[in-house]
């Protein structure tokens, strides 16, 4: 498992409340939409990152992490595993404190690069499942 309980708790409770959610659009059928709503209920600011740059859950969207004009604490990644590594690299460049790959998203080299850059990293877990446990 990539991200022990202590790392999960640190990301959810200590690293800050601004979460860029890569892959979040206004499509209510997508997992990112529901997960973002849960994060908001727990006090997180959810920033949509999607090529359409849509406003979702009341927050302005951006086409890329680099387009966000403020600091981001955590980058939550809802893209296929083959695209996730590039997003992790963008999160490092953005200065995020952590990267979270959703359930089913695994890229071991990206995990190693992200950790080597000093960021916290979780893969193949969902913050909407974890946050009620650590609250």
């Amino acid at each position: 498992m990539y991200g022990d309980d202590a790392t999960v708790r640190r990301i959810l409770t200590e690293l800050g409340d601004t979460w860029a959610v890569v892959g979040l659009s206004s499509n209510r059928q997508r997992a990112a939409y529901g997960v973002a709503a849960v994060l908001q209920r727990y006090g997180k600011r959810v920033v949509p990152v999607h090529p359409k740059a849509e406003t979702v859950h009341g927050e302005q969207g951006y086409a890329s992490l680099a387009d966000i004009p403020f600091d981001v604490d955590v980058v939550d990644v809802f893209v296929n595993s083959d695209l996730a590594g590039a997003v992790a690299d963008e999160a490092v460049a953005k200065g995020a404190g952590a990267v979270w790959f959703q359930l089913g998203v695994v890229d071991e080299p990206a995990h190693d690069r992200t950790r080597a850059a000093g960021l916290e990293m979780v893969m193949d877990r969902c913050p909407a499942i974890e946050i009620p446990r650590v609250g």
Side-chain angles (χ1 to χ4, degrees):
M1 182 179 304
Y2 296 94
D4 59 26
D5 287 342
T7 301
V8 167
R9 179 175 299 281
R10 216 169 18 259
I11 292 171
L12 291 171
T13 65
E14 297 174 20
L15 290 185
D17 292 331
T18 301
W19 286 54
V21 181
V22 178
L24 176 57
S25 71
S26 61
N27 183 343
R28 294 173 181 260
Q29 304 305 312
R30 305 290 300 192
Y33 190 90
V35 169
V38 171
L39 289 170
Q40 278 190 325
R41 281 198 301 275
Y42 280 85
K44 306 301 182 189
R45 179 182 183 190
V46 173
V47 181
V49 179
H50 189 278
K52 294 181 182 178
E54 300 172 298
T55 296
V56 183
H57 296 305
E59 287 285 346
Q60 168 65 47
Y62 298 90
S64 72
L65 288 174
D67 291 341
I68 300 173
F70 47 83
D71 291 339
V72 170
D73 301 309
V74 180
V75 176
D76 189 6
V77 182
F78 280 92
V79 301
N80 293 328
S81 295
D82 59 339
L83 302 174
V87 176
D89 295 338
E90 292 171 24
V92 170
K94 179 71 179 163
V99 175
W100 190 301
F101 284 4
Q102 283 294 323
L103 289 172
V105 180
V106 175
D107 181 331
E108 292 180 15
H111 177 272
D112 295 344
R113 287 193 313 273
T114 302
R115 293 291 296 132
L119 282 70
E120 297 282 3
M121 177 80 175
V122 170
M123 289 195 310
D124 197 26
R125 291 178 83 167
C126 179
I129 294 170
E130 303 296 337
I131 200 166
R133 296 184 325 122
V134 300

